[in-house]
Amino acid sequence: MRLAGRRCLLCTCEGTIPLDAAALARATGAAGTPELFARLCRAELAAFREAAATGEPLLVGCTQEAPLFLETAGEAAGTTLFTNLRERAGWSAEARAAGPKIAALLAEATVAVPPTPALELRSQGRVLVYGAGEVALAAAERLAGRLTPTLLLREWAGLVPPSVVRFPILSGRVVRLAGHLGAFTATVEDAAVAIPSSRAELRFGTPSAKSELEVDLVLDLSGGAPLVTAPGKRDGYLRVDPRDPLAVERALFDLTELVGEFEKPRYVTFTAELCAHSRSRRVGCTRCLDQCPTGAITPAGDHVAIDPFVCAGCGSCAGVCPTGAATYAAPPPATLLERVRTLLRTYHAAGGRDAVLLVHEARHGEEMIALIARLGRGLPARVLPFAVGELGQLGLEVLAAPVALGASRIVILVPPRKEPELTGLRANLDQLAALLDGLGYGADRVTTLATDDPDALETMLWDLPVVAPLPARDLVAIGGKRSLLRLVLDRLHEHAPAPVPQVPLPTGAPLGRVLVEVEGCTLCHACVGACPTGALAADPDRPMLRFKEEACVQCGLCANTCPEKVIRLEPRACFEPSVREFLTLKEEEPARCVRCGKPFGTKSSIEKIVRRLAGSHWMFKDARAIERLRMCEDCRVIAEFERGDRPFALGEPRRPRTTEDYLREREEEERRRASGEGSPKPS
């Protein structure tokens, strides 16, 4: 059987998995029937070797023995995919009814996943050991043979100097640590160098006010507050309790592995042009800033900046970003939606009913599913496991898509240790619950379970009541975040039990409209200039404010920019056709010049200026000055020149004196003397 161009090799694992080759071929719509084996990883390994030798792409229904298969395939290993049919479907109390699920899992495994872009990090082994006393000194000495340590002591009372100093020893206090693996910068206060003549106890020289240390790695044995936010997510920063010798030993071992060149995924793709953070120093959307646990996101003018080297890949920024400026790249949302679409479409085509999508993180959920399968009843036949890299990456469009594609329920398995970090996911789930409840589906279709207990997960899944799903229909995932969301919402509304025209959503939802108090609006269009998505627009020919709801992301920039404070937001999901059109929020006749009749502004804005200046400003005490405010720019200048007091007159210019003036004055003086008139008295 060939599925999406791949030859399928399936194994019953010594008869423990009931597989019907013909039924699987019909369910998947594949050509031919899958090749069934009982001991593909042992007695029948030669069959896999021959298949791999052909060089054609393979799909093997086993993950336990994947390392053996890859070793056997040799150079052709890159063309082979693996999917776990045993723990996820075959080892179950309902294994014989799991045919549709097995077909769905096979089809999902063939969905192409684009490669994640990578970053390069380099570490030369320069490590800062920061702590107190003998524990810190011993750790630095242990590392000296393998790395290049620098010891920074917070406390050193009674500490005997080493007989051979193999690394710098400093005293001081770290007040700030920035950077990442291979490029940390520690700002140290009161840094001082150890005095070589220290005898019974370490002594240090004169401390400096502040200094900086550049290192590749940091071992924090201080026992105090962490030097960075989310310390467990910062590559190259190891913080352990100095009172736990086993933890210290483990950290020393891990540090020796962090030397060389490394690749780190660029988890998030960021498009600054789509960011709705700020305009003209007015802050709007801060969703990603509020969610980032590592401090990798910082304001940068009209948008934010994401440091990919600090980013730990939790995906929370992408999950809450309303515009798609921050998009998760490992994998992108379109790939997730295509996997969900393929999984549910194949399940329904194979005759599956009442599908429950179990969404889990690969690291957390797969182990629990395996324990349920080995020690319990396994997963019910209608429960389709769906692994993601990070739960935080799930935006509203991805969470709503399974319901629109015909899933009866969605169960999200949350690692308890990560529950405090998933505030963005909870907000998206609250929005989805409000949306589903408003359309008549009920708010209980989406369930979260925060547990590490496989028994609790098993009990919950087997006791889950059945609810009626949507009709099984296809939904092609195309476009960006906003277009995908609109596509999913329209599908939900199309088949809703209560297809109301609009549904109120919680505060912070990325959908809604702008409400304007028309009486107070002067059509200054400050909101138009601030709107990052073009949801608010002006008209070049008439004083008008227009709004298109489909483009609004509820960032709040318009409300924060409005000088009249007459704008507020109303989060909602509207399904009326008008959301795709520009609607007029306010329109008025233009103000016309009282002298020439030319339109030059809006009546409301001109009259507001008149009210504020009339009688309160020294330049506008009389009626003529007020009248000039109602004139266009040309007539205002003409009126000023027509004023009798000549406001622009500068007086007669002073005439320069010349030689002729002096000669004439001398002749007049001589004439007066000759006539006996005498000199004129000085004025």
Side-chain angles (χ1 to χ4, degrees):
M1 180 178 82
R2 279 172 172 75
L3 187 62
R6 290 186 175 273
R7 180 179 171 185
C8 296
L9 305 179
L10 307 183
C11 182
T12 64
C13 201
E14 298 185 327
T16 60
I17 305 175
L19 293 177
D20 186 334
L24 287 176
R26 289 193 302 271
T28 57
T33 57
E35 300 172 60
L36 291 185
F37 301 89
R39 298 177 180 83
L40 184 62
C41 61
R42 293 295 183 268
E44 298 165 311
L45 186 60
F48 172 80
R49 184 181 295 108
E50 292 175 4
T54 64
E56 62 181 322
L58 303 178
L59 175 60
V60 179
C62 176
T63 54
Q64 174 181 287
E65 301 297 331
L68 172 63
F69 288 129
L70 291 175
E71 181 182 356
T72 303
E75 295 182 358
T79 64
T80 304
L81 294 179
F82 302 91
T83 186
N84 184 359
L85 300 180
R86 189 176 66 181
E87 281 84 359
R88 296 195 294 171
W91 283 359
S92 167
E94 295 183 344
R96 298 201 174 275
K101 177 162 74 168
I102 292 175
L105 294 175
L106 286 171
E108 182 212 358
T110 64
V111 175
V113 178
T116 303
L119 304 164
E120 288 189 0
L121 302 122
R122 292 181 176 85
S123 170
Q124 301 175 13
R126 300 173 302 166
V127 55
L128 174 64
V129 180
Y130 179 51
E134 187 64 37
V135 173
L137 177 60
E141 289 180 331
R142 292 279 303 279
L143 292 172
R146 300 175 177 86
L147 306 179
T148 308
T150 296
L151 176 61
L152 180 63
L153 294 169
R154 289 184 58 182
E155 300 174 6
W156 58 90
L159 187 62
V160 178
S163 56
V164 178
V165 179
R166 295 186 292 169
F167 45 82
I169 302 177
L170 310 173
S171 66
R173 182 170 62 92
V174 177
V175 294
R176 182 175 180 271
L177 180 66
H180 51 85
L181 172 66
F184 281 105
T185 300
T187 303
V188 182
E189 196 174 68
D190 298 329
V193 180
I195 298 176
S197 60
S198 299
R199 187 174 180 181
E201 180 179 297
L202 270 176
R203 293 182 297 116
F204 294 88
T206 304
S208 60
K210 275 188 180 180
S211 58
E212 292 187 346
L213 297 176
E214 294 183 353
V215 294
D216 301 311
L217 308 164
V218 177
L219 175 60
D220 185 358
L221 298 172
S222 64
L227 303 177
V228 296
T229 56
K233 297 178 180 296
R234 187 70 62 96
D235 295 330
Y237 174 77
L238 283 73
R239 175 176 174 264
V240 295
D241 186 349
R243 297 168 298 182
D244 185 347
L246 181 60
V248 173
E249 287 295 322
R250 188 181 298 113
L252 296 177
F253 177 79
D254 291 342
L255 282 170
T256 59
E257 299 293 319
L258 296 177
V259 181
E261 296 184 358
F262 304 91
E263 279 194 353
K264 176 182 179 178
R266 185 184 286 270
Y267 295 105
V268 177
T269 301
F270 183 68
T271 307
E273 294 77 12
L274 299 178
C275 183
H277 170 60
S278 174
R279 293 295 183 275
S280 302
R281 299 184 181 179
R282 298 285 185 176
V283 177
C285 178
T286 60
R287 292 175 174 92
C288 62
L289 290 166
D290 298 336
Q291 296 299 324
C292 182
T294 63
I297 306 178
T298 53
D302 285 352
H303 51 83
V304 299
I306 302 179
D307 187 341
F309 293 97
V310 176
C311 173
C314 69
S316 297
C317 57
V320 299
C321 179
T323 64
T327 304
Y328 205 69
T335 302
L336 286 183
L337 288 176
E338 182 59 25
R339 285 178 54 205
V340 172
R341 169 180 174 259
T342 302
L343 188 69
L344 290 172
R345 183 183 59 178
T346 308
Y347 178 77
H348 292 136
R353 300 179 50 142
D354 305 321
V356 175
L357 193 70
L358 175 61
V359 183
H360 63 89
E361 291 186 355
R363 295 184 299 273
H364 178 245
E366 288 179 357
E367 183 178 356
M368 294 182 68
I369 292 172
L371 289 173
I372 292 173
R374 292 173 179 274
L375 306 177
R377 290 177 287 177
L379 295 181
R382 67 189 181 109
V383 174
L384 307 178
F386 185 76
V388 297
E390 294 285 344
L391 291 176
Q393 75 182 94
L394 302 177
L396 182 58
E397 74 285 355
V398 176
L399 292 169
V403 181
L405 286 164
S408 172
R409 288 183 178 275
I410 303 174
V411 176
I412 299 180
L413 180 60
V414 178
R417 62 181 178 80
K418 296 185 67 173
E419 196 172 11
E421 303 174 10
L422 298 176
T423 56
L425 175 64
R426 287 197 295 272
N428 289 336
L429 290 174
D430 290 343
Q431 296 162 21
L432 179 58
L435 179 69
L436 296 177
D437 195 35
L439 292 175
Y441 293 105
D444 59 345
R445 286 182 179 266
V446 182
T447 308
T448 59
L449 179 63
T451 184
D452 286 324
D453 184 1
D455 292 334
L457 176 62
E458 179 185 0
T459 302
M460 185 258 197
L461 293 175
W462 283 89
D463 294 345
L464 203 61
V466 175
V467 294
L470 271 70
R473 294 181 181 271
D474 200 6
L475 182 69
V476 180
I478 56 175
K481 186 184 184 84
R482 298 292 295 182
S483 58
L484 286 173
L485 179 57
R486 176 51 60 183
L487 190 67
V488 171
L489 294 182
D490 288 345
R491 173 60 58 84
L492 289 174
H493 183 260
E494 179 184 353
H495 301 284
V500 295
Q502 60 186 42
V503 176
L505 294 179
T507 302
L511 301 165
R513 64 174 173 171
V514 166
L515 299 177
V516 178
E517 297 175 17
V518 177
E519 296 79 8
C521 176
T522 61
L523 292 177
C524 67
H525 291 157
C527 56
V528 174
C531 181
T533 63
L536 289 165
D539 189 283
D541 300 321
R542 295 181 60 83
M544 182 185 298
L545 178 62
R546 302 187 298 162
F547 173 68
K548 182 162 70 171
E549 185 167 344
E550 186 180 50
C552 181
V553 297
Q554 298 283 287
C555 66
L557 272 169
C558 55
N560 295 340
T561 302
C562 177
E564 314 303 335
K565 304 304 177 187
V566 295
I567 298 179
R568 63 185 179 90
L569 306 178
E570 182 186 1
R572 67 174 189 172
C574 183
F575 304 98
E576 298 175 353
S578 59
V579 298
R580 296 176 172 85
E581 303 170 356
F582 273 105
L583 303 179
T584 300
L585 299 181
K586 181 174 181 179
E587 179 182 7
E588 64 180 51
E589 291 294 325
R592 295 187 177 274
C593 176
V594 295
R595 182 174 177 131
C596 70
K598 182 178 78 172
F600 71 100
T602 62
K603 286 184 177 180
S604 55
S605 59
I606 297 302
E607 292 306 318
K608 178 183 176 182
I609 295 173
V610 170
R611 287 194 303 270
R612 289 196 175 183
L613 296 180
S616 61
H617 193 281
W618 65 271
M619 291 180 63
F620 301 96
K621 294 292 187 181
D622 60 87
R624 289 185 304 168
I626 297 300
E627 193 72 359
R628 286 194 296 273
L629 291 175
R630 296 189 173 97
M631 298 179 186
C632 66
E633 62 274 17
D634 296 330
C635 292
R636 207 171 296 147
V637 174
I638 295 172
E640 285 289 347
F641 274 104
E642 290 177 350
R643 287 171 55 181
D645 54 1
R646 300 178 66 195
F648 299 110
L650 300 176
E652 293 294 334
R654 183 175 180 180
R655 189 173 67 85
R657 292 173 63 83
T658 65
T659 303
E660 293 181 356
D661 294 326
Y662 290 106
L663 293 175
R664 186 177 61 255
E665 289 175 0
R666 187 170 64 180
E667 290 175 356
E668 291 178 355
E669 177 68 20
E670 292 175 350
R671 183 179 56 78
R672 283 194 297 270
R673 288 178 180 176
S675 61
E677 295 178 0
S679 300
K681 295 181 180 180
S683 56

